[in-house]
Amino acid sequence: MKKTYGLVLAALCLGLAACSSGTGASKAAAGGGNGDGTPKTLRIGYQLIPNGDLVVKDRKWLEQALPHTKITWSRFDSGGDVNTAMIAGSLDIGLAGSSPVTKGLSAPLNITYKVPWIFDVIGENEALVAREATSVTALRGKKIATPFSSTSHYSLLAALRDAGLAESDVKIIDLEPQDVQAAWQRGDIDAAYVWTPVLGTLEKTGKVLITSKDLAAKGKVTADLAVVRTEFADRYPKALTTWLQQQDRAVELIRGDRDGAAAAVGRQLNLPPAEAARQIDQLILLDGEQQAGPEYLGTAAKPGAFAQTLHSTAQFLKAQNQLPSVPALSVFQQGLATKELGDAFPS
């Protein structure tokens, strides 16, 4: 953790080419703006998580709402990879879990981005699954896979600590979700903490020991967050407002037309609508009004309690030697894009 920021940045950027799949993130800058105050290009990093972001993508709402902007969707497998792309300047908006965002806002990364939206509060869609063990304590000496620097990694460490196990009591292996599934099928690992849709595959032959919903009840809340480059938010507020409003529209569709939303998410995940609906129900989704409330992001005048959630996450990560130091609470308060959220949903 004593590397200089420049060395960290260089190492992250070297790995950028291998961190995304699908269309791939462009390394070019956003390409300037249109005469109407919108960007010529909006580069979005998404993940295969059954929330409103996949509805927006499937329905092509952004393409319709920003007709003069080229929307580029790039698939990423973890929030750590999104952080890498943000540092390299190859994304404008991305999805990352609360644990990698906490790291992103902290030293040594200090990424110049902020959180304008909570895609979902993680529930039963992330869990610790074991092949034979019937309790977390029974995992002592076992191999457990999870994507490092992800919300699953954070939750795994919290689950081990809650069960009285140290990280050194098990062997934790860093694998992306698709690699977790392959390792499970080969019998190379004894357990895994991972999210859907891979979680659903593991559940067929394994036993769920604890979920992120269980951990949230114990104070270890995790969430999937949007991050927007600060430079982009400042330069193109109209585009960010439009993006926020489409995300809110997706939450309303999920609440009001479950079948239609499940069909959209199912197409993106290559799942039957019934299974997509089941996975959507494992998440807590918030509309714009809720997000601007005191329990979550809050307002520019009064940042919400979610800043404290990120601060608590940083404290936990520091205790696990995942961060060199814990930033002040104000760092996370300033990391919430409350003004932009208020502009999109004025009270």
Side-chain angles (χ1 to χ4, degrees), residues 187-258:
D188 293 345
I189 56 176
D190 302 299
Y193 209 121
V194 72
W195 54 85
T196 54
V198 171
L199 174 61
T201 300
L202 272 56
E203 286 177 317
K204 294 176 183 177
T205 54
K207 175 181 175 59
V208 173
L209 303 183
I210 194 168
T211 71
S212 294
K213 180 180 180 180
D214 299 327
L215 290 168
K218 298 179 180 183
K220 300 301 181 184
V221 178
T222 52
D224 291 313
L225 310 177
V227 286
V228 58
R229 284 192 305 113
T230 302
E231 179 186 5
F232 182 90
D234 293 344
R235 188 173 182 183
Y236 300 113
K238 178 180 178 181
L240 181 56
T241 291
T242 299
W243 183 90
L244 286 165
Q245 290 171 343
Q246 301 312 308
Q247 292 295 331
D248 184 67
R249 181 182 177 189
V251 173
E252 293 303 322
L253 181 73
I254 290 170
R255 293 175 176 177
D257 182 5
R258 189 170 180 272

Side-chain angles (χ1 to χ4, degrees), residues 21-23 44-49 53-54 57 72-78 82 91 93-95 119 268:
S21 52
T23 58
I44 299 174
Y46 75 101
Q47 295 191 49
L48 295 180
I49 297 172
D53 203 31
L54 292 187
K57 180 177 183 293
T72 301
W73 294 85
S74 299
R75 184 169 69 95
F76 287 78
D77 293 320
S78 70
V82 170
L91 284 180
I93 299 174
L95 184 157
F119 285 113
Q268 294 297 311

Side-chain angles (χ1 to χ4, degrees), residues 244 292 298-300 337-347:
L244 286 165
T299 65
T338 51
K339 177 184 181 301
E340 291 81 357
L341 184 65
D343 290 342
F345 307 105
S347 57

Side-chain angles (χ1 to χ4, degrees), residues 1 99 102-103 106-107 154 157 161 167 220 310-327 332:
M1 300 303 292
S99 179
T102 297
K103 287 188 173 183
S106 305
Y154 167 82
L157 296 177
R161 172 180 278 193
E167 186 175 349
K220 300 301 181 184
L310 295 177
H311 189 248
S312 297
T313 301
Q315 292 173 324
F316 180 87
L317 293 174
K318 170 62 171 64
Q320 295 293 320
N321 296 316
Q322 300 291 314
L323 279 178
S325 61
V326 178
F332 299 107

Side-chain angles (χ1 to χ4, degrees), residues 94-114:
L95 184 157
S98 48
S99 179
V101 170
T102 297
K103 287 188 173 183
L105 292 172
S106 305
L109 296 184
N110 294 321
I111 303 174
T112 52
Y113 63 27
K114 46 190 172 181

Side-chain angles (χ1 to χ4, degrees), residues 148-192:
F148 279 15
S149 299
S150 67
T151 50
S152 282
H153 188 198
Y154 167 82
S155 295
L156 171 60
L157 296 177
L160 292 174
R161 172 180 278 193
D162 186 63
L165 295 178
E167 186 175 349
S168 58
D169 290 328
V170 299
K171 183 176 181 181
I172 303 177
I173 302 170
D174 180 16
L175 293 176
E176 296 294 339
Q178 70 275 13
D179 298 321
V180 169
Q181 181 172 325
W184 179 273
Q185 293 171 339
R186 291 193 305 267
D188 293 345
I189 56 176
D190 302 299

